[in-house]
Amino acid sequence: RFQGLLRSMGFEVKLTPYIQRADGSTKGDWDAGIAVDMAEYATHAGVLVLASGDGDFAPVVQKLIGDHGVAVEVYGVSDLTAASLRQAATSFVPIEGRLLLPIPTT
């Protein structure tokens, strides 16, 4: 449902398959793909928007701002967003209130 909502708003949704670990847990990781997309779009955009709290993106954000002069707005949940990412971004917008999607009840 969330993916459909994003698509209806004009977002391109990219998915990566989960990796099954030997212990039975799963992991899905698209960080490298997001970083590549950001670098690609930085040459065509004045502002990039990153919805993440992952501090691993801080060096990418710093590089894009420094090398391309692009603004990078980070949207994230305040308590879950790395300080390094908040500091690297041009601006930080906390996801709260009306920005949160309601949880459907069944």
Side-chain angles (χ1 to χ4, degrees):
R1 183 177 145 202
F2 179 67
Q3 294 167 13
L5 177 63
L6 290 174
R7 283 186 182 98
S8 73
M9 293 188 308
F11 287 94
E12 178 183 1
V13 177
K14 295 182 179 182
L15 305 173
T16 185
Y18 283 99
I19 297 167
Q20 183 82 32
R21 296 180 177 141
D23 67 0
S25 64
T26 58
K27 179 182 188 320
D29 196 349
W30 192 244
D31 290 1
I34 293 170
V36 169
D37 284 350
M38 291 174 70
E40 180 181 329
Y41 289 114
T43 61
H44 307 292
V47 179
L48 297 175
V49 176
L50 175 63
S52 176
D54 190 339
D56 290 347
F57 286 112
V60 175
V61 169
Q62 290 171 331
K63 180 89 171 149
L64 294 174
I65 292 170
D67 288 2
H68 296 284
V70 65
V72 180
E73 297 177 358
V74 171
Y75 284 67
V77 177
S78 291
D79 292 343
L80 303 176
T81 300
S84 60
L85 182 58
R86 292 171 78 149
Q87 292 167 355
T90 307
S91 63
F92 173 74
V93 179
I95 296 175
E96 57 190 20
R98 67 180 184 82
L99 294 178
L100 292 174
L101 295 175
I103 298 172
T105 57
T106 54

